[in-house]
Amino acid sequence: YHHRRYDKAGVEAACDDILLGWRRNALVQFQEAWAARAGAHLGPTDVLLTLDAQLQRLAADELGSREGAVVVVKPSTGEILVLCSQPAYDPNRIAVPGYFESLKEDERNPFLHRALQGLYPPGSVFKLIVTAAALENGSAPQDTYTCPAAGYRPPGDPKPILDLEASRSAREKRTWSGHGKIDLATALR
């Protein structure tokens, strides 16, 4: 959004000087070169977005009311097709009296763009690598493993590796019993 009282956010904040024609920086030159390669023409105040509206909507629908982010990048070009963060807000309603204030008070923090500003460890991505290695070395999707509430203790390391739910339960001072026996496919999911 770009608002007189509430300033700006998103593309409007990142590219404001470009859109106003105040400065030609490396981003504009990169976009012009990329557009020329694609056969398009960009003027000095154009910003080319590569988001796919249908995929963006699908990501938002799949996240629903859950907090999280979805990013989809086209590997061959680096184009960002989806950059979704939930909970979201409607930038068209920023000027509605009380709307901006209600967003600021929302404990789920809709102004935090989880895809760009969230600090997430690479664990979820690394799970794919570990699972692929397990499958290549003889494990099967139906193989079961024990996931105790106390976490996994690597050999020689006294500090356990905890499940996200175990960590969350500890923070909220509630008891968690662990997943118990779980198969590889379910654990990955």
Side-chain angles (χ1 to χ4, degrees):
Y1 61 84
H2 187 203
H3 189 271
R4 255 188 0 240
R5 180 174 177 195
Y6 302 119
D7 204 21
K8 51 196 157 275
V11 173
E12 287 77 6
C15 300
D16 192 45
D17 55 349
I18 297 166
L19 293 169
L20 292 172
W22 291 348
R23 180 171 59 117
R24 280 181 47 88
N25 65 13
L27 174 64
V28 174
Q29 293 171 5
F30 171 77
Q31 287 180 327
E32 287 176 348
W34 183 84
R37 228 182 38 196
H41 171 72
L42 286 177
T45 59
D46 293 334
V47 174
L48 178 66
L49 301 180
T50 57
L51 294 176
D52 181 312
Q54 282 184 298
L55 287 177
Q56 182 79 13
R57 201 170 300 113
L58 177 64
D61 290 347
E62 289 299 316
L63 277 172
S65 63
R66 294 175 293 184
E67 296 174 21
V70 175
V71 178
V72 178
V73 178
K74 188 174 182 180
S76 61
T77 63
E79 295 173 30
I80 298 172
L81 303 177
V82 175
L83 194 63
C84 180
S85 176
Q86 293 290 73
Y89 59 89
D90 183 352
N92 296 312
R93 295 186 58 212
I94 291 295
V96 173
Y99 184 67
F100 189 85
E101 289 74 16
S102 71
L103 293 172
K104 283 179 24 182
E105 294 170 10
D106 187 337
E107 66 184 33
R108 296 179 331 130
N109 197 2
F111 284 126
L112 174 65
H113 196 298
R114 287 165 171 78
L116 299 175
Q117 300 165 314
L119 300 176
Y120 304 107
S124 291
V125 174
F126 199 69
K127 285 182 217 170
L128 297 174
I129 297 166
V130 171
T131 303
L135 292 171
E136 284 180 1
N137 287 288
S139 290
Q142 64 275 11
D143 290 351
T144 59
Y145 303 89
T146 302
C147 180
Y152 170 73
R153 292 186 192 278
D157 190 349
K159 187 173 181 181
I161 299 172
L162 296 174
D163 182 277
L164 171 66
E165 187 59 35
S167 300
R168 183 178 292 151
S169 297
R171 275 194 314 276
E172 296 172 359
K173 297 189 180 3
R174 59 183 172 85
T175 306
W176 184 63
S177 59
H179 291 294
K181 287 243 182 227
I182 190 169
D183 63 59
L184 183 59
T186 303
L188 175 62
R189 191 172 43 253

